[in-house]
Amino acid sequence: MGPMPADARGSKRTPRARMTASQRREQLLEVGRVLFAEKGFEGTSVEEIAARAEVSKPVVYEHFGGKEGVYAVVVDREVQALTAALTGALAEGGHPKVLVERTALALLGYIEASEDGFRILVRDSPVAQATGTFSSLIGDVASQVEHILGEHFRANGLDPRSAPLYAQMLVGMVALTGQYWLDARSPRKTEVAAHLVNLAWNGLSGMEKRPTLTRPR
């Protein structure tokens, strides 16, 4: 007589525990986050989200109404995380040079900890327009920086009315460098931040009161 079937020996496979609604929602968000980072919004389908989560399509629709709902929540969470990191870097105030350093390290630190999230934020998608794009987020941070720069300009005899323009330049420089570093990952984070501060602060500290273009003779 041959060996008894596994089921007959009492070693049945233990069924997977059923997820709660909250757990399922978080699972779908994490799956969607990975897929959106890999393929973008347009390149991701409800079918792929469902398949990777090992559920049926109606489950995705039940929780989010479609991939748009998944994407909106994913983007909103990433915007909140990056906003918290950047505004936290500026919250304590201090010397403009230190603020540039903190802001650069905050952005690079977010990229390091949330690569998928940053890839999603810097992609263009109609859905992102409703929840907060990367460019609008950077604009919000620049608004905070302009007030700090305005005080610095006044203290150094410079025109504070130009502070908003310089704030956009500084924050834009940090943001674009972050996008470059996302793939390059070299040099290391602290070294990139040091180079950013080197360019930004040496530029700020040597500013002319009335800059003009060099005209050819």
Side-chain angles (χ1 to χ4, degrees):
M1 189 179 204
M4 293 177 63
D7 289 352
R9 295 199 303 268
S11 58
K12 291 182 179 180
R13 181 182 297 176
T14 303
R16 289 187 301 175
R18 185 180 180 84
M19 286 188 182
T20 64
S22 177
Q23 289 171 331
R24 179 66 71 193
R25 179 179 173 85
E26 290 303 315
Q27 181 209 22
L28 293 172
L29 286 171
E30 184 54 35
V31 166
R33 185 173 178 271
V34 172
L35 284 170
F36 292 135
E38 289 176 1
K39 302 183 176 185
F41 175 75
E42 296 298 338
T44 300
S45 67
V46 172
E47 287 84 356
E48 287 177 294
I49 295 173
R52 193 167 293 193
E54 298 183 341
V55 298
S56 63
K57 285 169 54 179
V59 173
V60 181
Y61 289 114
E62 176 187 349
H63 284 273
F64 296 99
K67 72 171 182 177
E68 293 83 2
V70 180
Y71 188 87
V73 176
V74 168
V75 170
D76 185 60
R77 286 186 175 186
E78 294 304 326
V79 166
Q80 289 184 40
L82 182 50
T83 299
L86 294 175
T87 55
L90 299 168
E92 297 179 18
H95 195 281
K97 183 178 182 180
V98 176
L99 292 175
V100 173
E101 179 178 314
R102 283 201 213 121
T103 303
L105 284 172
L107 177 63
L108 296 173
Y110 167 78
I111 293 171
E112 197 170 54
S114 186
E115 180 178 321
D116 282 349
F118 189 72
R119 288 189 187 280
I120 292 168
L121 287 182
V122 298
R123 290 180 186 272
D124 291 326
S125 169
V127 179
Q129 305 293 330
T131 53
T133 62
F134 183 63
S135 58
S136 66
L137 170 62
I138 293 303
D140 291 342
V141 174
S143 296
Q144 297 182 58
V145 172
E146 75 177 63
H147 297 298
I148 298 165
L149 282 183
E151 293 299 322
H152 174 72
F153 282 15
R154 274 187 284 271
N156 289 275
L158 301 169
D159 187 355
R161 291 175 298 180
S162 62
L165 179 61
Y166 282 94
Q168 291 287 341
M169 294 176 188
L170 281 172
V171 176
M173 179 177 69
V174 173
L176 286 173
T177 302
Q179 291 186 53
Y180 164 80
W181 190 71
L182 173 64
D183 292 314
R185 291 304 175 96
S186 179
R188 65 184 184 277
K189 177 177 65 179
T190 52
E191 191 174 342
V192 174
H195 284 297
L196 278 166
V197 174
N198 185 34
L199 176 60
W201 178 246
N202 284 331
L204 284 171
S205 60
M207 279 172 47
E208 302 172 347
K209 292 185 178 181
R210 293 181 179 82
T212 57
L213 297 176
T214 302
R215 293 186 175 91
R217 295 180 180 178

